[in-house]
Amino acid sequence: MFPGIEPLNPLLLPAQKLTLGCPVLDRLLRGGLPVGSVTEIAGESAAGKTQLCLQLLLAALLPPSRGGLSAASLFIHSEFPFPIRRLHALSSSSSAADPLGHIFVAAAHSPDDLLSLLATADGLLARPPTHLPVRLIVVDSIAALFRSDFDNNPKDLKKRSFLFFKIAAKLKEQARRFGSVAVVTNQVVDVVGSEEGANGQRVGNYASLWSSGRRVCPALGLSWANCVNTRLFLSRKDEIADDAGSSRTRRWMQVVFAPHLPEASCEFVIVREGVSGIEPQRVAGR
Amino acid sequence: MSETSRFRSLEGGHGALKGAQTAWDMLSEEQMQKHITTGCEELDAILGGGIHCKEVTEVGGVPGIGKTQLGIQLAVNVQIPVECGGLGGKAIYIDTEGSFMVERAHQIAEGCISDLLDNTAHRLKDFPACPEILQPNSFLANIFYFRICSYTEQIATINYLEKFLEEQKDVKIIVVDSITFHFRQDFDDLALRTRVLGGMSLKLMRFAKKYSLAVVLLNQVTTKFVEGSFHLTLALGDTWSHACTNRIILYWNGNDRHAYIDKSPSLRSATAPFLITGKGIRNATSHCKRVRMM
């Protein structure tokens, strides 16, 4: 059944990364998102998750010399509507020919939808309809797929957990087989109560994660956390900018856990051209 | 051990026998040498010298606590030359989750080599093969890497190792990262799952004893709602609990990473702090200032 079992020299493993489209953010991630791996981007609504995903779809089209994969992408969305206008606006500054023709979009309404889409994606990955292979798969978001179907009783949680592992195993197997990047966005839930609760369990580099003044943690619990290789957290904070009382939004990307990255964070902004990291200020005398 | 203590009590009255060893002493000494350092002295200490060969050790913990870091560290440290107090062995790394990153393994190998050159320079003077062996790429080439994408592939690979280990006698550690990931999907037949996991663990235990190597199984944690509160428990715990000789849990103590011995035939329960640095797993410093080399 597995005639090809053979050990590999790790030096021969693919080490390619997909740029985030911003050199500052790339530096935070040591080049970008790794192929053959599942990266989760968690954050509250309007934290910038989808913006970042759109940027990745366009970055994938770039040649490897510019941090891209020379590849088309598959975007599976469970949140509606799909931001086609924003994507179109971003694509106008893309150097690739016909970027929108190389981005495949599909909608998923349930975990089973997602699984059957991923099964179909095998065909897309193996025999791409365009001349470019598909090497980026984005799921936005995983949390929305599990919102309505499951109750909080142990039996349903168990059923839900089985699906997490099935989905993750499929994404990882595709990522490995086709040398692709898998990105999954996730929402956050409020952390209520003491540290001893299931949600209070510390996962990763930060004792607690904050956004918009609330203590939060990525949705879908410890089970799902076990399913991703890298977890990035996007947060936002509205601040009073000056005496006139006008407010501005500050945003951060944090590495919650990753097998190849130390704890680190980076501030970023969302502008017309997309998501852009802010170079950390050098403190004089260091 | 009781033989030894009986002999020792006699030693006082027999001057001519002073300095002699019992056969038990020699045997335990011989057995005690076969362990792999974790890179953290305190962790090695509570482990009785390091990860033991001829035994199966389970390492559990939440995502991000450092299981893969420890797995890679051990796959590197098993290669520390005999001249420097190591086993000079090779490693098998079975990656079931895609967590093994070459760039990180390279950093850890670099870190190990740099520490060897700093700390054992006197021993390396007489070591002619030094420059070629003490290269990160040589260390990486000594890791036999397998990437697993399904539970059937996992079974097939472990069966494949049967023949592989016969031919590759230098292998002194097998790391499985993680052992349970592919078994956490829905199995129509739970009894089958238990049988498969049980069969796998027995095989690995056999490899450990037959080839005198260390088997390290990394495992995920899950929450169990017991008597009104949540408890952290190792995944598929009930099917595993008998299968491992030792169990180490990695956990957060405030902002610090710690390890504790959860199960061991000979070691008492103890905890040790450790750090994950740019060079790999290292001692935790006791002062406030942490040396983190990125």
Side-chain angles (χ1 to χ4, degrees):
Chain A
M1 205 214 254
F2 294 102
I5 293 184
E6 275 264 311
L8 187 64
N9 182 336
L11 287 166
L12 300 172
L13 280 173
Q16 217 178 349
K17 301 252 178 72
L18 171 62
T19 175
L20 261 61
C22 163
V24 179
L25 292 176
D26 282 351
R27 220 167 298 133
L28 176 77
L29 302 183
R30 285 179 56 102
L33 304 187
V35 304
S37 186
V38 175
T39 299
E40 178 193 64
I41 302 174
E44 61 167 302
S45 300
K49 309 186 291 293
T50 303
Q51 293 297 304
L52 197 49
C53 287
L54 297 180
Q55 201 152 308
L56 287 167
L57 296 175
L58 294 167
L61 289 161
L62 295 171
S65 57
R66 292 179 57 194
L69 302 170
S70 283
S73 318
L74 170 62
F75 189 100
I76 300 174
H77 66 106
S78 58
E79 315 252 354
F80 301 87
F82 174 74
I84 182 62
R85 265 201 289 248
R86 179 62 169 154
L87 178 61
H88 185 231
L90 288 173
S91 72
S92 59
S93 48
S94 167
S95 55
D98 188 22
L100 296 186
H102 292 92
I103 295 169
F104 302 99
V105 182
H109 302 266
S110 70
D112 284 327
D113 263 3
L114 175 59
L115 281 167
S116 68
L117 273 172
L118 291 177
T120 320
D122 273 344
L124 197 70
L125 289 155
R127 282 171 305 277
T130 61
H131 68 284
L132 292 180
V134 171
R135 292 186 63 199
L136 168 63
I137 297 185
V138 179
V139 179
D140 180 21
S141 68
I142 186 85
L145 293 171
F146 289 91
R147 243 188 296 217
S148 46
D149 292 345
F150 299 86
D151 293 322
N152 237 5
N153 62 71
K155 184 158 165 251
D156 269 10
L157 286 176
K158 193 83 212 172
K159 230 169 52 170
R160 205 181 68 157
S161 173
F162 287 151
L163 285 168
F164 294 161
F165 285 95
K166 195 165 177 188
I167 291 167
K170 183 64 185 166
L171 284 169
K172 287 179 177 190
E173 185 245 339
Q174 277 177 341
R176 157 67 171 175
R177 196 144 56 102
F178 299 102
S180 55
V181 174
V183 176
V184 179
T185 70
N186 193 9
Q187 290 163 0
V188 295
V189 293
D190 287 306
V191 176
V192 186
S194 73
E195 301 260 326
E196 275 86 62
N199 276 350
Q201 174 59 47
R202 174 174 178 155
V203 169
N205 298 322
Y206 300 90
S208 51
L209 298 172
W210 294 81
S211 193
S212 293
R214 286 152 49 218
R215 189 174 168 211
V216 295
C217 76
L220 310 182
L222 190 53
S223 251
W224 174 253
N226 277 310
C227 290
V228 301
N229 297 109
T230 296
R231 168 169 278 177
L232 303 175
F233 174 67
L234 304 184
S235 62
R236 51 176 289 168
K237 191 163 90 162
D238 292 320
E239 284 183 353
I240 310 294
D242 51 40
D243 295 328
S246 66
S247 78
R248 64 169 180 151
T249 305
R250 295 185 71 185
R251 304 171 185 279
W252 290 269
M253 176 184 286
Q254 290 167 267
V255 176
V256 178
F257 61 77
H260 61 302
L261 302 171
E263 169 195 334
S265 66
C266 179
E267 192 170 354
F268 69 92
V269 290
I270 303 180
V271 293
R272 191 169 48 90
E273 295 77 23
V275 178
S276 178
I278 298 175
E279 191 77 65
Q281 296 299 313
R282 291 219 162 267
V283 176
R286 271 233 194 128
Chain B
M1 282 311 194
S2 56
E3 311 286 331
T4 315
S5 50
R6 246 193 287 139
F7 186 85
R8 284 223 178 89
S9 66
L10 292 170
E11 217 174 32
H14 296 261
L17 290 170
K18 212 187 278 188
Q21 266 186 338
T22 63
W24 283 116
D25 280 350
M26 288 187 66
L27 184 63
S28 62
E29 217 165 274
E30 149 87 335
Q31 282 176 333
M32 265 157 53
Q33 271 159 22
K34 306 292 186 210
H35 47 245
I36 306 165
T37 172
T38 60
C40 169
E41 282 167 3
E42 279 200 64
L43 182 47
D44 283 352
I46 66 168
L47 289 171
I51 297 288
H52 295 222
C53 288
K54 288 174 158 334
E55 291 181 10
V56 177
T57 303
E58 184 182 6
V59 180
V62 294
I65 191 69
K67 302 185 295 293
T68 297
Q69 305 300 307
L70 181 57
I72 298 177
Q73 187 71 64
L74 293 169
V76 162
N77 287 357
V78 73
Q79 302 183 47
I80 293 172
V82 176
E83 287 81 352
C84 302
L87 284 140
K90 297 191 180 180
I92 288 174
Y93 200 98
I94 299 177
D95 183 5
T96 70
E97 302 194 24
S99 300
F100 185 97
M101 299 285 292
V102 192
E103 63 189 79
R104 183 54 178 154
H106 194 275
Q107 275 182 333
I108 290 176
E110 253 182 342
C112 173
I113 291 165
S114 118
D115 282 2
L116 282 180
L117 292 172
D118 285 343
N119 302 336
T120 61
H122 56 283
R123 292 206 228 183
L124 291 170
K125 270 191 314 165
D126 309 314
F127 185 25
C130 177
E132 296 86 59
I133 291 185
L134 294 185
Q135 293 293 329
N137 284 1
S138 302
F139 270 56
L140 289 177
N142 285 332
I143 299 174
F144 297 107
Y145 175 87
F146 296 86
R147 175 80 171 91
I148 303 300
C149 294
S150 69
Y151 88 88
T152 48
E153 207 178 338
Q154 191 166 330
I155 299 166
T157 301
I158 288 171
N159 288 342
Y160 166 88
L161 288 185
E162 195 107 54
K163 204 174 73 143
F164 187 76
L165 289 169
E166 268 305 310
E167 291 157 19
Q168 294 284 344
K169 297 290 193 179
D170 292 336
V171 171
K172 286 295 157 204
I173 187 169
I174 299 174
V175 178
V176 186
D177 176 10
S178 67
I179 189 81
T180 48
F181 175 72
H182 289 290
F183 292 89
R184 298 188 70 187
Q185 298 179 36
D186 200 2
F187 265 67
D188 288 328
D189 184 356
L190 283 183
L192 167 69
R193 186 179 74 176
T194 305
R195 275 201 311 277
V196 165
L197 278 171
M200 241 177 19
S201 66
L202 279 178
K203 251 205 176 86
L204 289 166
M205 178 93 75
R206 238 186 343 102
F207 293 159
K209 296 213 185 301
K210 182 171 179 190
Y211 301 102
S212 295
L213 46 85
V215 172
V216 176
L217 308 177
L218 306 182
N219 197 4
Q220 301 177 338
V221 292
T222 181
T223 47
K224 219 171 181 174
F225 197 70
V226 172
E227 286 167 22
S229 60
F230 280 99
H231 292 263
L232 277 191
T233 181
L234 291 181
L236 305 177
D238 297 334
T239 48
W240 272 106
S241 43
H242 58 280
C244 303
T245 325
N246 310 289
R247 188 178 302 120
I248 304 168
I249 308 288
L250 307 181
Y251 67 102
W252 287 104
N253 185 346
N255 281 329
D256 302 324
R257 290 179 161 90
H258 277 63
Y260 80 87
I261 311 290
D262 183 56
K263 177 187 181 186
S264 161
S266 55
L267 305 160
R268 57 181 189 84
S269 251
T271 75
F274 68 95
L275 276 191
I276 300 180
T277 71
K279 283 175 153 192
I281 305 267
R282 293 293 187 276
N283 300 336
T285 54
S286 47
H287 335 112
C288 300
K289 178 174 153 208
R290 303 219 169 239
V291 181
R292 271 198 197 180
M293 291 156 281
M294 297 301 180

